[in-house]
Amino acid sequence: MTKIPYLRCLVLCLAAPVLVAACGGGNVVDTTCQAISSDGIGVVVGSNLPGDPALPEAASGYRTGLKVVSSRSYMVSSANAFASAAGCAVLRKGGSAADAAVAVQAVLGLTVPEATGLGSGGFIVYYDAASKSVMAYDGRESAPAAATENYLRYIDDDSDKTAPKPNARASGRSIGTIGVPRLIEAVQKDHGKLAWKDLFGDGISLATHGFKISGRLAAAIASNAASLKRDPEATAYFFNADGSPKALGTLLTNPAYAKSLQAMATGGADAIHTGPIAADIVAKIASTSAPDGTVTTPGKTTLIDLAAYEVKRREPVCTTYRNAYWVCGAPPPTSGGIIVASALGIIETFDMASLKPNAIDREGGKATVLGVHLITEAERLAYADRDKYVADTDFVPLPGGTWNTMLNKGYLKSRAGLILTTKSMGTAQPGNLGVVPLAVANTVEHGTNQFTIVDAAGNVLAATTTVESSMGSFHMTNGFLLNNQLTDFSAAPTDAAGVPIANRVAPRKRPRSSMAPTMVFKMAADGSKGDFVMATGSAGGGTIPQHVVKTIVGALDWGLDAQQSSNLMNFGASNSATTSIGGEHPSVDTTNNGAADALIVGLRALGHTISTSATASSINTVMRSFSNGVAILTGGTDPRREGVVLGDTFTP
């Protein structure tokens, strides 16, 4: 067996105890928490051996040939190999899904800072197997107490009605009061088994000893170079001494992030929300200029805002599908759970099983024209309702005071009746849900990161966290970037006619999101939630619900496994005439503007405007399956990202 240099070996052994053979500890054949190569050989994440999924590669757009992974009792699927390894190590020690989530998120904040981190927020859906209960955790960022409804469009409501500088996103005004530290702490307090202080070792070790920059991170540094260079800490971290962006494969260390994680390990989330780190966050948000002299409009976040931030435990949005399943997602202030439930409630009125992809193969096959048409029409209707009615329900209630008004079977059947099989509706109108004086606003979100975990006790966690756009607000402190989540609010409080917009800014309000961590359960004989079926979610900003719907329909209606449903070509629509067909997929022919692709031609004939731009999903799915009559777990990760599925893996 290949020997690994001592220092690297030491780091890896701390992060992955199964590496004892490579570290001189004897002949070990156990592949627990190792990636399985095409020839069935286990490879340790971070070993730099052939097949190591952490070896940095240029972003290819789509990795062909990914196979479903099987495990006996626990599994983690994330968009980063180091993060999956950290979570798997916790599960191997007997930790719960909540424990593993802390380790995964700590590593993700280091290795994919362009998408998530300690300066971000998110949502978690958690299934407690013992009580058979599902809970949603809202760790969405919030506006500061001093924010006004014009916070994003005016420097001052009275004296300076010009836009924030250099723009809303890059100013301090975009930065919401962070939620991730208290989000993972709340879930772990409720459902953890291991000591909190012992869950940060992998993140601290990687930050101290370094990891190699991935293709996606390298691209994010280069594409955001001008904005990042307005921040001294971001400049020092992401760029070489000559000002060039640090490139693919560069060994990157982050001692400041290691210190932040160590502070959290010993002091909990309060170490970030109070004290010196909190003071640094507030000072960074309040900065008024960049080293190059660029004027920056400060935000109004205070130490009180940070200290007062609370994670909210909420009831998930749970609806039935085809009278056979329960589907549960996160509730407002994210709209993701409602969009997914709405679209599925419309889709279930059609025979989707007969419209499964053609020539199903490892990559999911070729989606059919009518299948894509019906699903995207359903999504148009779901987004139309979202755009008008959904916001932070602590400030703006849903019609009738409940999501059931938007999701009951009768209403969704009437919405389905608006779909024609011969022509796209183009842009849908919101449904009439009573006298609700709200204007329509379709603010689009970006970014995000998703991971999914099942532990040996059957507990399940689906988490979506994000800094919003790539590299967030470009403000960096204590080793992590701060989000730009407040740009998910509508900048204008009303439409042109003066009608209020539900997703307008207000003090301590949380901006609407599209994050959609989702779980599916069998419907029991008595109609209640039965056995766990699958958990999934995705990155992709405003398109997240589309990726989740595609994955669920692929699994439940078309019989695809966890990897095939992730591989399946991306397609979807927000509320516009444009239908997205992910051009990165090998079954999509984008040459000559898609003139030779039967799916594209067929959709255009139905009036769809087609975009074949590459999609940036990050689906991570775990499913309950069976092998020789024994329940096992199977997992898949999005071939459009750099993820890996790990667990106590085996070959059925």
Side-chain angles (χ1 to χ4, degrees):
M1 179 173 285
T2 303
K3 293 288 184 177
I4 300 172
Y6 175 75
L7 180 59
R8 186 65 177 159
C9 172
L10 178 61
V11 175
L12 287 167
C13 285
L14 290 172
V18 297
L19 190 59
V20 292
C23 295
N27 183 22
V28 175
V29 296
D30 181 13
T31 59
T32 297
C33 295
Q34 297 186 37
I36 307 300
S37 65
S38 58
D39 56 5
I41 303 299
V43 182
V44 173
V45 171
S47 65
N48 290 327
L49 298 175
D52 177 6
L55 289 172
E57 297 178 357
S60 62
Y62 188 98
R63 296 177 290 165
T64 58
L66 292 184
K67 297 179 181 179
V68 69
V69 176
S70 300
S71 71
R72 300 187 188 280
S73 58
Y74 57 83
M75 179 171 279
V76 54
S77 177
S78 86
N80 178 263
F82 286 117
S84 292
C88 191
V90 170
L91 296 174
R92 187 172 187 263
K93 295 174 185 176
S96 70
D99 294 321
V102 177
V104 169
Q105 181 61 45
V107 171
L108 287 173
L110 173 72
T111 56
V112 287
E114 73 276 16
T116 187
L118 296 181
S120 68
F123 295 89
I124 289 176
V125 177
Y126 196 93
Y127 171 65
D128 183 271
S131 63
K132 296 186 177 181
S133 61
V134 186
M135 176 65 70
Y137 291 80
D138 168 10
R140 182 66 159 159
E141 300 91 335
S142 60
T148 70
E149 63 181 13
N150 295 307
Y151 190 65
L152 294 174
R153 65 173 184 165
Y154 297 155
I155 291 176
D156 186 88
D157 285 16
D158 299 317
S159 62
D160 190 352
K161 292 186 178 181
T162 60
K165 296 179 176 58
N167 52 62
R169 175 189 170 184
S171 74
R173 295 293 175 86
S174 71
I175 303 171
T177 304
I178 63 175
V180 155
R182 285 193 170 154
L183 174 64
I184 58 176
E185 181 182 63
V187 176
Q188 201 271 342
K189 279 185 175 180
D190 288 353
H191 303 286
K193 293 174 59 180
L194 304 182
W196 167 265
K197 65 180 178 62
D198 296 332
L199 302 175
F200 297 87
D202 291 329
I204 293 170
S205 178
L206 278 169
T208 302
H209 298 286
F211 68 98
K212 292 181 179 179
I213 292 176
S214 69
R216 186 168 292 274
L217 176 53
I221 296 171
S223 63
N224 292 292
S227 296
L228 287 169
K229 285 184 177 181
R230 295 194 190 106
D231 186 278
E233 186 169 338
T235 301
Y237 183 57
F238 291 117
F239 298 89
N240 298 308
D242 64 359
S244 60
K246 291 182 178 177
L248 171 74
T250 303
L251 186 68
L252 194 61
T253 61
N254 193 337
Y257 187 76
K259 290 180 180 179
S260 293
L261 289 185
Q262 186 60 61
M264 274 193 72
T266 56
D270 277 351
I272 308 297
H273 283 266
T274 64
I277 295 178
D280 289 344
I281 292 172
V282 170
K284 180 67 68 167
I285 295 172
S287 60
T288 58
S289 64
D292 64 359
T294 301
V295 174
T296 304
T297 301
K300 298 182 179 181
T301 302
T302 67
L303 287 171
I304 295 174
D305 290 317
L306 278 172
Y309 180 85
E310 296 180 350
V311 168
K312 300 191 177 185
R313 294 164 176 82
R314 301 185 187 271
E315 286 297 315
V317 174
C318 292
T319 55
T320 62
Y321 185 60
R322 300 200 183 281
N323 204 35
Y325 304 98
W326 281 95
V327 180
C328 295
T334 184
S335 63
I338 286 178
I339 295 175
V340 170
S342 177
L344 290 176
I346 296 169
I347 291 166
E348 73 176 350
T349 64
F350 299 96
D351 178 15
M352 297 306 300
S354 66
L355 301 174
K356 66 182 181 181
N358 298 312
I360 292 176
D361 57 9
R362 189 178 294 170
E363 310 306 331
K366 181 78 169 182
T368 63
V369 173
L370 189 54
V372 172
H373 172 72
L374 293 176
I375 290 173
T376 55
E377 295 293 279
E379 290 169 347
R380 286 180 168 88
L381 292 163
Y383 275 88
D385 281 355
R386 185 285 295 265
D387 291 345
K388 181 170 184 176
Y389 297 117
V390 180
D392 185 343
T393 48
D394 292 340
F395 290 77
V396 180
L398 294 170
T402 170
W403 47 259
N404 186 59
T405 304
M406 304 174 67
L407 300 178
N408 69 78
K409 298 297 184 182
Y411 174 68
L412 293 181
K413 186 175 181 179
S414 71
R415 297 291 274 169
L418 300 173
I419 297 176
L420 301 176
T421 58
T422 56
K423 183 180 179 181
S424 174
M425 67 182 68
T427 300
Q429 296 301 310
N432 183 1
L433 297 175
V435 182
V436 183
L438 294 174
V440 173
N442 59 351
T443 306
V444 177
E445 311 96 280
H446 305 86
T448 48
N449 191 79
Q450 165 71 28
F451 58 91
T452 305
I453 304 172
V454 180
D455 65 30
N459 304 305
V460 186
L461 180 146
T464 315
T465 61
T466 177
V467 293
E468 217 284 335
S469 299
S470 177
M471 296 293 187
S473 65
F474 314 116
H475 292 63
M476 191 174 193
T477 182
N478 288 273
F480 55 89
L481 288 161
L482 299 176
N483 67 85
N484 66 300
Q485 292 292 1
L486 298 191
T487 58
D488 282 352
F489 280 119
S490 170
T494 66
D495 68 5
V499 180
I501 293 171
N503 190 38
R504 59 191 181 273
V505 184
R508 299 278 170 86
K509 188 177 181 181
R510 302 181 183 207
R512 186 177 66 198
S513 168
S514 294
M515 288 181 271
T518 306
M519 294 183 188
V520 179
F521 303 88
K522 278 280 191 184
M523 182 181 288
D526 62 0
S528 64
K529 299 179 190 69
D531 291 337
F532 165 72
V533 173
M534 66 183 293
T536 191
S538 181
T543 62
I544 288 173
Q546 300 165 33
H547 304 317
V548 172
V549 167
K550 175 211 77 168
T551 304
I552 291 175
V553 171
L556 303 186
D557 290 322
W558 297 337
L560 304 182
D561 65 33
Q563 188 59 60
Q564 287 174 311
S565 59
S566 298
N567 291 350
L568 179 64
M569 58 189 298
N570 281 339
F571 55 84
S574 301
N575 192 21
S576 75
T578 300
T579 295
S580 173
I581 303 295
E584 76 286 342
H585 196 277
S587 72
V588 178
D589 184 354
T590 61
T591 59
N592 195 24
N593 197 28
D597 188 284
L599 174 61
I600 295 173
V601 171
L603 289 170
R604 284 177 175 154
L606 295 176
H608 293 260
T609 299
I610 301 299
S611 168
T612 57
S613 297
T615 52
S617 58
S618 180
I619 300 159
N620 286 284
T621 302
V622 178
M623 298 179 66
R624 183 173 184 263
S625 305
F626 290 88
S627 176
N628 297 321
V630 177
I632 63 170
L633 298 172
T634 54
T637 189
D638 204 311
R640 301 158 188 85
R641 299 273 178 141
E642 301 156 328
V644 66
V645 182
L646 298 177
D648 52 342
T649 53
F650 75 105
T651 302

